[in-house]
Amino acid sequence: MKRWTSKASAADANATLDLFSAADADAGLPARAGKIRSAATPALADVAALLTRWAERGWLRPLDRAFAEFLRGEAPDAHPLLLLAAALASHQLGRGHVCLDLAATLADARFALSLPPEGDDGVALPALPDELLAGVTLADWQAALAHPLLVGRGAGNTPLVCVGTRLYLRRYWQYECDVRAGIETRLGARDALQAALAPAPLRHALTALFPAAAGAAAGVDWQKLACALAARSAFSIVTGGPGTGKTTTVVKLLALLQSLALHRGADSRPLRIRLAAPTGKAAARLNESIAGAVARLPLDALPDGERVRDAIPTEVSTLHRLLGSRPDTRHFRHDARNPLPLDVLVVDEASMVDLEMMAALLAALPPTARLVLLGDKDQLASVEAGAVLGELCLRAHDAYYTPATRDWLAAVTGAHIDAALVDAAGEALDQAIAMLRVSHRFTAASGIGRLADAVNAGDIVALHALWPQGYADLARVKLAGADDSGLRALVIDGGGANFPAQGQGRRSGDDVLPPPAGYRHYLQAVRDGQPPADAAPEAFDRWARDVLAAHGQFQVLCALRRGPFGVDGLNLRIARLLGEAGLISATQGWYLGRPVLVTRNDYGLGLMNGDIGITLALPRADSTPGAPVQWGLRVAFPAGDGTHGIKWVLPSRLQAVETVFAMTVHKSQGSEFAHAALVLPDALSPILTRELVYTGVTRARHWLTLVTAGSERVLEEATLRRVQRASGLHAARTATSAAT
């Protein structure tokens, strides 16, 4: 096999070598295409120099330029259009795309680079992709890619793979193939699993877990239906919006599976079940909620109900911990050669799982293990490349259950599926997906729920109709230039005056909700709740728990990271306002009450990317007896293990944290706040999409403040724009037809 070398710098070469794998056996590749017509523009003739200029301006990553330079060093005769495509394909990975869609790029090349939304000042700007590709046809570009040393059509050892109009870096092409194959293999086991299910015990267990409420209106219990579908499949998805009961559903599913497993015969044993989530924050949140859900399970009507309860785990791990991360490598301890010791794996917040992680997960599962994915298909996709859950759930809304699936569900659940959700041509994957359709959090009187629905549907008319109705849980704030009065009232005291009735008197069930909070709420808990120096350690833990709970009452969320209305600008602005109000003693460095967000996994400290801690003060152990007590700053984090413990960390040991008065919507996934303030910038940006706005809106549990810094058109345009990630995973939707 050819050893790849590069004429680029050593650092660039080392970076680019990891972009693809040359481990596949060589395969037949197409012959080199004939002569391609000359470049459309002079700039294309010197594409290497142009890539360098793009990288210098930040339009392209240095890594992407280095990859193209590496390929040119390996094949000096490579056509400029091939080098351009290679650089853009690498660049798309950094923007969440699995591949470069050649046809889509030719149709609109404006978004092929990371151009600043407001344009770029300066003279003699380099040519853009649309200029280079003017007059280039799809056939031209595909012909330029027909270089057997660099581009393959499938298995082989070329660094690039071209499939139809999609150009992949080989490693990501392989991930996509592995994910598709792993899912299809598990879907193929459905008939055997269904045949092994005795209908009577299944019906009994489902009835016990989902008792019909007296006087309840007849209708489909989608949670019950989801459990039935997952029970007969080695791969299943439960998707639904906030408050639809995904956690409750999966706990009942695990009870169902354990009950069936424990009564198969004399040698029956409980299933080995593991629970996981993509981030530490998501794992901690599931940890908190699942223990209560297990305790509330209605198991009296099940044989050995308490034994079933005891067999349901409540500890949640991150995916990296589950698979066993290896330092300084992309590989994990558990893989196809060393599979995970489990029978069922449940992954929560699956919308955050990228393609590479999903491939690793499927490879590490034993062949007979079940995989259950939970998540909201409409939320933001993973930060890394791929939108796995979204692509798999493209048809979830209309179900596409086959008549055979409909009849089986009716037999075991008593549900009568609407004819609009039945399709004789439904695919195998459709039969393994259940969409929960009833929100128990957002009622018809909830403005947050209505706003989320309007954004998710891209319905601008419904969006405009919301505000005049005066929903009690919705408020709007318009930031006017340098005037901080609106922002000050919001971040300090929650901006209650912006809500109807000042935010007073709202009820949630039998409880009266406290009015919307700002950051004063948790900072008062920092100041007023501190125990005396001689208090027991448990008192300081209780104080930290109270402070962390109070901090979770309010959070500012941003669409952008940079700029005056991004995380960087707003964190400084909010800190200044809190300092002026006397709520914090400093605005930089470490100070009492500083909230911090972990930005990188730190396994040594047991902290995960997304964990939030608050800076508090503890009495120092080295204080001189008889002298005034010396206090030292420590950062308090939730233990994240379901014990409600506190992890105290010296600030000097935290190497990857940032202040978090404001956080990006991306970082907020897996979190929930009583009051969320979603800040939209003053100008449209490529990152502003329907999924981002929907995710930000649904982080709010009781109160939502929408903060706009510019025209209303920003919200409208963002609502109309959907995330479109280039990928071929959706081909799995048509590769396997339902075997019913």
Side-chain angles (χ1 to χ4, degrees):
M1 181 167 56
K2 178 178 174 67
R3 178 177 176 83
W4 292 96
T5 58
S6 175
K7 295 181 181 178
S9 70
D12 283 347
N14 288 336
T16 56
L17 281 173
D18 192 40
L19 285 171
F20 58 87
S21 166
D24 299 309
D26 196 9
L29 297 171
R32 183 74 193 277
K35 183 178 180 181
I36 305 166
R37 66 188 180 86
S38 60
T41 66
L44 188 56
D46 194 9
V47 71
L50 190 60
L51 295 178
T52 298
R53 295 185 66 191
W54 287 351
E56 289 170 348
R57 287 187 171 270
W59 298 352
L60 194 73
R61 299 179 303 174
L63 179 65
D64 311 323
R65 181 208 62 79
F67 181 52
E69 182 68 15
F70 170 76
L71 297 183
R72 189 175 70 151
E74 295 305 313
D77 62 335
H79 194 278
L81 281 172
L82 191 160
L83 300 179
L84 174 66
L88 293 181
S90 173
H91 187 61
Q92 296 315 298
L93 286 174
R95 306 175 75 191
H97 300 280
V98 173
C99 58
L100 175 72
D101 189 317
L102 304 175
T105 303
L106 287 174
D108 189 350
R110 292 175 300 167
F111 299 111
L113 298 177
S114 295
L115 301 176
E118 68 280 3
D120 207 331
D121 297 330
V123 295
L125 294 176
L128 294 174
D130 54 345
E131 298 175 59
L132 270 65
L133 296 171
V136 174
T137 67
L138 181 59
D140 290 335
W141 211 352
Q142 289 173 316
L145 295 175
H147 194 300
L149 187 64
L150 302 181
V151 184
R153 306 291 166 178
N157 63 355
T158 57
L160 296 167
V161 177
C162 189
V163 179
T165 66
R166 300 189 303 275
L167 181 67
Y168 297 83
L169 275 67
R170 173 165 293 283
R171 185 156 58 87
Y172 282 85
W173 172 82
Q174 191 63 57
Y175 291 151
E176 196 171 271
C177 291
D178 291 347
V179 168
R180 183 184 298 117
I183 292 173
E184 288 179 355
T185 297
R186 284 181 160 73
L187 291 176
R190 189 195 72 204
D191 288 347
L193 286 172
Q194 181 175 322
L197 283 174
L202 178 59
R203 277 196 304 270
H204 175 74
L206 287 169
T207 300
L209 290 166
F210 296 92
V220 175
D221 186 334
W222 289 101
Q223 295 184 14
K224 185 177 183 180
L225 180 144
C227 287
L229 286 176
R232 68 168 191 166
S233 182
F235 175 82
S236 56
I237 298 175
V238 179
T239 185
T244 52
K246 295 186 291 293
T247 301
T248 300
T249 302
V250 80
V251 168
K252 290 188 176 183
L253 169 62
L254 297 181
L256 173 66
L257 294 177
Q258 288 290 30
S259 176
L260 296 174
L262 290 171
H263 295 92
R264 285 197 182 123
D267 60 346
S268 62
R269 62 169 180 83
L271 298 170
R272 297 168 299 169
I273 299 174
R274 295 294 303 273
L275 309 173
T279 66
K281 183 67 177 178
R285 183 180 168 198
L286 183 59
N287 239 331
E288 293 168 2
S289 60
I290 202 161
V294 171
R296 293 190 299 271
L297 276 172
L299 300 179
D300 293 344
L302 283 180
D304 298 324
E306 290 309 309
R307 187 182 175 202
V308 169
R309 195 188 311 274
D310 293 341
I312 301 175
T314 56
E315 182 179 345
V316 185
S317 168
T318 64
L319 290 174
H320 283 85
R321 276 194 180 281
L322 176 77
L323 293 176
S325 293
R326 289 169 149 182
D328 304 318
T329 176
R330 309 184 78 98
H331 303 295
F332 296 98
R333 184 164 54 88
H334 288 289
D335 54 20
R337 291 167 296 183
N338 180 30
L340 291 161
L342 52 77
D343 301 303
V344 180
L345 174 62
V346 175
V347 179
D348 193 25
E349 296 289 353
S351 63
M352 301 166 66
V353 180
D354 60 89
L355 182 69
E356 181 177 0
M357 176 57 78
M358 188 62 74
L361 198 60
L362 285 162
L365 287 179
T368 58
R370 297 173 184 264
L371 176 61
V372 182
L373 303 181
L374 298 180
D376 186 343
K377 67 180 180 62
D378 298 313
Q379 277 191 28
L380 279 169
S382 57
V383 175
E384 303 298 328
V388 178
L389 188 74
E391 289 194 72
L392 295 176
C393 293
L394 280 173
R395 290 156 53 103
H397 183 271
D398 294 320
Y400 295 93
Y401 296 141
T402 62
T405 295
R406 174 199 60 198
D407 296 343
W408 183 81
L409 286 171
V412 299
T413 70
H416 297 286
I417 307 298
D418 190 295
L421 303 180
V422 178
D423 186 341
E427 300 164 8
L429 182 57
D430 298 324
Q431 319 311 305
I433 298 176
M435 178 176 165
L436 306 182
R437 300 163 190 260
V438 179
S439 176
H440 303 282
R441 181 190 307 169
F442 300 138
T443 66
S446 168
I448 298 173
R450 291 295 182 91
L451 177 58
D453 288 344
V455 169
N456 204 16
D459 191 338
I460 301 302
V461 174
L463 200 63
H464 285 298
L466 279 169
W467 305 108
Q469 298 183 44
Y471 284 103
D473 54 350
L474 284 183
R476 285 194 295 182
V477 171
K478 178 72 180 287
L479 299 184
D483 182 5
D484 278 338
S485 58
L487 182 64
R488 181 183 295 107
L490 172 63
V491 300
I492 292 179
D493 290 311
N498 301 313
F499 291 88
Q502 310 288 308
Q504 301 286 340
R506 273 194 65 211
R507 305 186 72 89
S508 176
D510 296 330
D511 300 323
V512 177
L513 293 173
Y519 287 133
R520 184 193 300 275
H521 180 60
Y522 95 88
L523 289 168
Q524 281 183 330
V526 172
R527 183 189 63 195
D528 300 340
Q530 185 176 34
D534 59 354
E538 293 79 9
F540 287 94
D541 284 355
R542 284 195 298 272
W543 174 44
R545 281 194 293 272
D546 291 343
V547 169
L548 287 163
H551 182 265
Q553 295 298 300
F554 176 66
Q555 183 64 54
V556 174
L557 305 176
C558 301
L560 307 179
R561 168 157 290 281
R562 295 180 177 83
F565 303 107
V567 166
D568 293 346
L570 279 172
N571 269 322
L572 293 173
R573 198 170 170 184
I574 293 170
R576 176 177 57 79
L577 292 172
L578 295 174
E580 292 171 355
L583 293 171
I584 57 176
S585 60
T587 59
Q588 295 181 348
W590 290 99
Y591 52 85
L592 193 68
R594 180 191 178 193
V596 294
L597 176 79
V598 176
T599 58
R600 187 175 65 240
N601 291 346
D602 188 328
Y603 295 105
L605 294 176
L607 297 175
M608 298 294 117
N609 185 2
D611 286 351
I612 291 178
I614 307 293
T615 309
L616 300 176
L618 296 180
R620 292 179 53 168
D622 60 354
S623 296
T624 303
V629 174
Q630 300 295 311
W631 296 80
L633 294 179
R634 298 290 189 276
V635 185
F637 291 92
D641 57 4
T643 64
H644 301 292
I646 295 295
K647 189 175 299 181
W648 297 93
V649 182
L650 275 167
S652 59
R653 296 193 66 192
L654 296 170
Q655 302 302 311
V657 295
E658 60 186 26
T659 301
V660 70
F661 290 122
M663 65 162 48
T664 62
V665 174
H666 272 96
K667 286 289 187 182
S668 75
Q669 285 185 272
S671 301
E672 200 177 76
F673 310 97
H675 179 198
L678 176 60
V679 181
L680 298 181
D682 55 349
L684 197 63
S685 164
I687 201 172
L688 275 172
T689 63
R690 179 183 306 178
E691 289 82 358
L692 183 139
V693 176
Y694 170 82
T695 302
V697 167
T698 54
R699 296 313 87 200
R701 188 165 61 250
H702 298 308
W703 310 95
L704 175 72
T705 299
L706 183 66
V707 183
T708 55
S711 166
E712 292 287 334
R713 292 292 300 169
V714 172
L715 175 61
E716 295 173 12
E717 292 295 332
T719 298
L720 291 173
R721 181 190 294 168
R722 302 214 65 168
V723 171
Q724 298 290 341
R725 288 198 166 178
S727 165
L729 187 59
H730 63 273
R733 302 307 317 255
T734 55
T736 306
S737 55
T740 58

